[in-house]
Amino acid sequence: MGLALDDWSNPATLANKPDQDLFNVIRNGKGKMPGEEAGRAKDDEVWNLVHYIRNLYKLTPASAPAPAPAAAPAPPPSN
C-alpha cells in the first residue's frame, strides 16, 4: 500500500493527538488506509484499542545493557 505510518508506540508521536482522533483513524481509516469493516468492532472495543495504544510504550522492553568486556584469561599455574 506504500503507507508511511507514525510510531504509535512512541508517546511523543501521540502527544498532540487527542483520543478522539485515534478513535476516528481506527474506525474510519485515513488516507490510503481503509476504515474497518462495518460492525467489526463495537465502540467500546475501539476505545480499548485507544487505551492500549496510549500504553504501548510501557510494554516496550528496555534496551539490553552493553555486554561486559571479556575477562583476561588467568595465567597458567606455576609449578
Side-chain angles (χ1 to χ4, degrees), residues 21-79:
D21 287 355
L22 297 177
F23 179 94
N24 291 339
V25 168
I26 294 168
R27 177 68 77 201
N28 304 317
K30 181 178 178 183
K32 292 181 182 179
M33 185 183 101
E36 65 158 317
E37 193 175 310
R40 184 171 180 184
K42 297 176 184 148
D43 282 353
D44 62 331
E45 294 170 329
V46 176
W47 281 116
N48 286 337
L49 284 172
V50 170
H51 295 297
Y52 176 78
I53 290 165
R54 288 277 182 208
N55 289 287
L56 277 173
Y57 75 95
K58 295 177 185 176
L59 302 174
T60 305
S63 300
S78 59
N79 292 353

